[in-house]
Amino acid sequence: MAGMCCGVVGEADTPSTVEPSGGRQGRRRRMEIHQLKFLAAAASDEVAPMPDKARKRRKVENLETIEKSVTGKSLIIPAACEKVVQPCDMMRKEDSRLESSSETEILLNSCKSMSETIVETLQHEEESRFGLTMVCGRRRDMEDAVAVKPLFCGDLHFYGVYDGHGCSHVATKCKDRMHEIVKDEVENRGESPEWKDTLATSFSRMDKEVTEWSEGASISNCRCELQTPQCDAVGSTAVVAVVTPEKIVVSNCGDSRAVLCRNGVAIPLSSDHKPDRPDELARIEEAGGRVIYWDGARVLGVLAMSRAIGDNYLKPYVIPEPEVTVTERTAEDECLILASDGLWDVVSNDVACNVARMCLSSQTPASPLRSPGNEVNVAGGESSDKACSDASILLTKLALARRSSDNVSVVVVDLRRNQKHVPN
Amino acid sequence: MTTPENTYRHPFHSFFDCWLVELNNNLEKLVSAANHHHEDDDINDDPDSYSLIDKAVGHYEEYYKAKSDGANDVLSMFLPPWLTTLEDSFLWIGGWRPTTAVHLLYSKSGIQLEARLADLVPQLNCRDLGDLTSNQMKRIDELQKKTIGEERVISEKMARLQESAADTSMVDLSNMESEMIRKNEYHGRKDSDEKVESALNGKNDKLVEMLRMADGLRIETLKSVVEILTPLQAMYFLIAAAELHLRLHDWGMKKDAA
């Protein structure tokens, strides 16, 4: 296996990551890659039968910081290729107290076993390089959820950021289901689907599922305990990006945001649904609702966004209908940043774009301090994944530095083509 | 740190004054070590830095040990006369709220990161708190989740204890004694005193237990943060903690004196 594809999928009893306290980022990272350890196929039976079983066990996930990025090849991803991996250093027990609390489990979504030749020919079209960071930050509850699904449907990649309110169960539900629904809708439409309709239908189905699930659910560990009417007051933003070899399709509902960095310029691919956005205000008032300024503009004085998944009690003023943008990819595209308002409230599109570019362009050469010892070679693709990871972590730290008072979730996707094997 | 001569000084008060002096000493040593080693790559392998960190953490442990030794006077531990009213207002079950440690870390980390980004050529490898790795961020986030959970458990226990101030035996006792006062039945008082004493002792024991749990979580959180950090980062964290502790006390003193 030359590389692998990792994604945090849910909570399980994996011991927590423990890092050597004196470590240096780059070396640690390479060591982790080196130390990725395959568990026996038998073990993977326990966790890998992915979507359904994992989904059932999943509840509120407070944290995911995935530092590895995903490299997948559409041509060679049989389901059987899925394996469970854990960085070895997760097994270390420097701090036993942390162990019980860890709920993360890294699952190998796909694997790359093809020859380097094929990799070189195909990877610029097929692979997904991303970095993802999520922290609870200065909040006492984690209500964000993120889904990254490379090659979720043919050669398409899926990235979704969901920022819940009221409780986290709608965001979690979106994280578990949205990509499956989108996949279903894409497949129903066959070749070259009409994206706006595909995603609008997907969002609407997602909203219905959340509503039905809330009505029918009896077992839950939610803070809201799924009791009506409280449960009706739960919802989530959803910003979803489907990246195809030619296009970037962004579908948005709420105030999470997707920003494209193209040749140093930040281009927002979504427009926040705030109740005081003139067209949204008009829509709400036309539907008979009101926007009341109480700690900012709020629909009926309650919700500080004008569209969301869930939030039954605010319908029809708050709607799950997304706005969809379809952008042709160009050679000048650098990266795509998806994040919750924990980032955007304190970091402008331009600054975020610059920070991400800085990380992507500085393919940090190995420091002489790092031991060159028996570590696995870091392929070009993986270093650039590290760059995405560096970008997402730096943006998250910047948000915290700028006193973001919310949960912060950041996904950075590298969109550059033919960069993988360029040294530096 | 002065108290009017004529007021009663709790024995813990003198300990606390000495403890603050020592905290200040540790702070200055940490500052000098961190400055001295700032450009030095070896700080993370330097046994002296470890012993300095251990000493600083040990100093907090001493504080909690002294508190639990003095726990027979648990009531004053809940509203410590050696603290200022400003400090009192931030108290959670007799001390700082454990999750404050994570916020302190995020604040200091942010300050160090921003200081660097302000430079025209950002030095992204200072290895101070601005350089938290993604693994460290992840572990801090896990620690925060866990600590919030434990805070909630303890807060819930505390809520039950506070509600028990009006449990049946307390209400019954207060009524019996009020009746006796009304009827001038002084001869019954001794018997009743014992019942009151026993009821209050029960509460006292529970308060001791609460304080033990809260202090335990405080020191555990502090140690966990330090363990996640590299020695240099741990120094910066302990420096920030001591500075906040000492200055908050000073500010409170000024306010109280005004």
Side-chain angles (χ1 to χ4, degrees):
Chain A
M1 296 264 170
M4 52 212 62
C5 191
C6 303
V8 171
V9 292
E11 52 190 29
D13 303 324
T14 314
S16 64
T17 39
V18 176
E19 104 184 300
S21 58
R24 290 165 185 102
Q25 208 170 347
R27 182 181 70 191
R28 180 172 310 124
R29 203 191 134 67
R30 282 188 287 161
M31 286 172 68
E32 279 167 6
I33 292 168
H34 178 54
Q35 291 171 341
L36 280 171
K37 172 184 166 190
F38 288 91
L39 300 184
S44 77
D45 287 341
E46 209 182 320
V47 279
M50 290 196 303
D52 290 312
K53 195 167 176 186
R55 192 182 332 124
K56 264 182 230 151
R57 293 181 314 167
R58 211 176 293 162
K59 46 174 190 188
V60 183
E61 189 152 63
N62 284 10
L63 158 117
E64 292 163 26
T65 309
I66 301 183
E67 44 209 305
K68 297 195 186 56
S69 310
V70 168
T71 306
K73 298 287 163 292
S74 64
L75 291 182
I76 47 101
I77 311 240
C81 211
E82 291 163 357
K83 292 256 195 285
V84 175
V85 290
Q86 289 178 316
C88 262
D89 62 0
M90 282 188 170
M91 306 301 220
R92 292 175 54 182
K93 295 185 177 180
E94 283 176 15
D95 186 348
S96 54
R97 278 166 311 203
L98 276 171
E99 262 182 276
S100 57
S101 72
S102 172
E103 299 176 333
T104 325
E105 182 176 280
I106 294 181
L107 189 95
L108 189 65
N109 280 334
S110 57
C111 54
K112 176 170 91 175
S113 58
M114 57 188 2
S115 76
E116 278 304 306
T117 349
I118 307 178
V119 170
E120 279 173 24
T121 12
L122 292 177
Q123 69 183 352
H124 68 281
E125 291 296 280
E126 321 268 33
E127 78 180 2
S128 161
R129 299 180 307 279
F130 71 91
L132 155 59
T133 306
M134 299 178 72
V135 294
C136 198
R138 291 192 178 82
R139 285 272 304 257
R140 287 178 72 79
D141 294 294
M142 183 62 175
E143 295 181 335
D144 284 4
V146 172
V148 173
K149 307 287 167 184
L151 302 166
F152 81 114
C153 178
D155 56 359
L156 313 180
H157 304 304
F158 179 101
Y159 309 92
V161 169
Y162 313 102
D163 177 358
H165 48 260
C167 182
S168 56
H169 71 254
V170 173
T172 311
K173 211 64 191 150
C174 288
K175 172 194 152 190
D176 294 347
R177 279 290 291 151
M178 184 73 95
H179 61 283
E180 294 175 354
I181 296 174
V182 173
K183 180 177 189 221
D184 193 41
E185 288 297 323
V186 170
E187 286 172 350
N188 284 345
R189 284 169 173 77
E191 292 283 304
S192 56
E194 207 286 292
W195 283 110
K196 293 192 183 186
D197 176 57
T198 308
L199 284 155
T201 312
S202 303
F203 273 51
S204 160
R205 274 181 64 187
M206 186 72 241
D207 182 71
K208 278 202 189 74
E209 271 195 23
V210 164
T211 310
E212 284 161 15
W213 180 78
S214 306
E215 281 164 0
S218 51
I219 309 153
S220 157
N221 296 317
C222 286
R223 185 156 49 90
C224 66
E225 290 173 349
L226 284 179
Q227 285 163 4
T228 44
Q230 290 95 318
C231 192
D232 269 0
V234 177
S236 176
T237 71
V239 63
V240 163
V242 174
V243 177
T244 82
E246 302 85 29
K247 293 181 170 70
I248 303 161
V249 183
V250 168
S251 180
N252 178 56
C253 202
D255 59 2
S256 297
R257 192 183 305 159
V259 174
L260 170 69
C261 305
R262 176 178 283 172
N263 199 17
V265 180
I267 304 170
L269 298 187
S270 65
S271 161
D272 302 354
H273 293 126
K274 292 287 192 187
D276 53 354
R277 209 178 90 177
D279 54 340
E280 288 293 281
L281 179 61
R283 182 184 60 72
I284 291 163
E285 286 178 346
E286 195 161 322
R290 286 186 63 200
V291 172
I292 297 166
Y293 288 79
W294 195 80
D295 187 22
R298 286 165 189 273
V299 179
L300 303 189
V302 182
L303 189 64
M305 66 190 77
S306 58
R307 301 192 192 191
I309 307 286
D311 288 300
N312 251 341
Y313 74 122
L314 288 175
K315 288 188 172 104
Y317 323 124
V318 171
I319 53 172
E321 186 183 313
E323 285 185 301
V324 181
T325 61
V326 181
T327 311
E328 293 292 329
R329 291 177 64 175
T330 72
E332 291 179 325
D333 292 354
E334 287 155 311
C335 64
L336 178 67
I337 306 170
L338 273 76
S340 59
D341 62 345
L343 176 74
W344 303 120
D345 280 352
V346 292
V347 177
S348 71
N349 295 355
D350 290 335
V351 168
C353 183
N354 286 336
V355 168
R357 285 184 87 210
M358 186 178 71
C359 293
L360 289 186
S361 59
S362 68
Q363 309 256 330
T364 335
S367 143
L369 295 167
R370 293 172 187 158
S371 109
N374 48 5
E375 290 169 17
V376 95
N377 281 336
V378 178
E382 279 155 350
S383 345
S384 99
D385 296 339
K386 178 189 182 305
C388 287
S389 180
D390 285 351
S392 68
I393 200 90
L394 188 53
L395 286 170
T396 304
K397 287 195 284 188
L398 189 59
L400 290 172
R402 296 193 170 175
R403 297 146 208 229
S404 174
S405 53
D406 206 346
N407 304 144
V408 184
S409 303
V410 183
V411 180
V412 176
V413 182
D414 190 346
L415 295 173
R416 296 170 302 171
R417 299 177 195 256
N418 300 316
Q419 295 276 320
K420 271 67 61 179
H421 288 282
V422 177
N424 304 317
Chain B
M1 278 168 236
T2 53
T3 318
E5 296 296 321
N6 54 353
T7 55
Y8 164 73
R9 258 177 90 84
H10 192 279
F12 196 85
H13 204 148
S14 316
F15 167 82
F16 184 69
D17 285 349
C18 294
W19 189 85
L20 281 182
V21 171
E22 191 60 27
L23 182 66
N24 197 46
N25 290 341
N26 287 344
L27 168 63
E28 294 313 317
K29 280 183 203 150
L30 284 165
V31 169
S32 124
N35 287 341
H36 181 251
H37 285 286
H38 192 71
E39 303 300 324
D40 185 348
D41 287 330
D42 291 338
I43 185 163
N44 289 332
D45 305 318
D46 181 1
D48 287 350
S49 53
Y50 282 102
S51 71
L52 209 50
I53 291 163
D54 288 347
K55 189 167 178 245
V57 173
H59 188 57
Y60 286 99
E61 282 180 302
E62 266 172 48
Y63 181 69
Y64 296 115
K65 168 107 180 23
K67 268 179 90 176
S68 82
D69 289 348
N72 51 353
D73 186 14
V74 69
L75 300 185
S76 49
M77 295 293 168
F78 272 86
L79 202 61
W82 48 90
L83 292 186
T84 61
T85 40
L86 178 67
E87 289 164 287
D88 287 344
S89 62
F90 290 111
L91 287 187
W92 176 81
I93 314 189
W96 50 273
R97 186 179 269 281
T99 37
T100 326
V102 175
H103 288 249
L104 174 71
L105 178 64
Y106 280 151
S107 297
K108 189 68 184 180
S109 165
I111 291 165
Q112 294 193 324
L113 180 70
E114 285 276 40
R116 229 172 317 146
L117 292 178
D119 294 345
L120 283 177
V121 185
Q123 223 328 83
L124 287 174
N125 207 12
C126 289
R127 299 201 304 279
D128 62 11
L129 289 171
D131 258 346
L132 293 173
T133 65
S134 62
N135 196 341
Q136 286 177 318
M137 292 286 282
K138 174 178 172 170
R139 292 182 63 197
I140 291 158
D141 197 65
E142 279 166 6
L143 174 68
Q144 184 185 16
K145 276 191 296 178
K146 172 174 157 281
T147 310
I148 288 172
E150 288 176 20
E151 268 184 16
R152 285 189 175 141
V153 169
I154 296 173
S155 291
E156 195 56 32
K157 281 191 205 289
M158 191 66 199
R160 264 175 268 149
L161 174 54
Q162 288 173 329
E163 285 167 350
S164 80
D167 64 15
T168 311
S169 65
M170 294 287 274
V171 173
D172 193 26
L173 279 172
S174 64
N175 172 250
M176 274 167 51
E177 190 150 326
S178 306
E179 288 291 326
M180 282 189 280
I181 294 168
R182 250 167 246 134
K183 292 175 188 160
N184 279 329
E185 288 174 355
Y186 289 110
H187 57 275
R189 288 295 290 275
K190 186 165 179 277
D191 181 34
S192 147
D193 278 353
E194 279 167 12
K195 282 186 190 152
V196 170
E197 190 66 17
S198 139
L200 292 182
N201 278 344
K203 307 280 180 241
N204 199 82
D205 291 349
K206 287 196 178 115
L207 283 169
V208 170
E209 175 64 8
M210 291 307 310
L211 195 66
R212 192 189 59 77
M213 290 176 73
D215 282 347
L217 185 57
R218 277 185 271 271
I219 193 71
E220 190 190 329
T221 309
L222 181 81
K223 284 175 154 182
S224 301
V225 170
V226 168
E227 277 167 31
I228 291 169
L229 302 176
T230 65
L232 180 62
Q233 290 172 334
M235 284 186 189
Y236 284 123
F237 172 76
L238 289 165
I239 288 168
E243 285 177 347
L244 182 63
H245 200 137
L246 289 163
R247 298 296 81 81
L248 201 59
H249 188 68
D250 291 349
W251 298 333
M253 302 264 281
K254 272 189 206 137
K255 273 190 168 298
D256 286 351

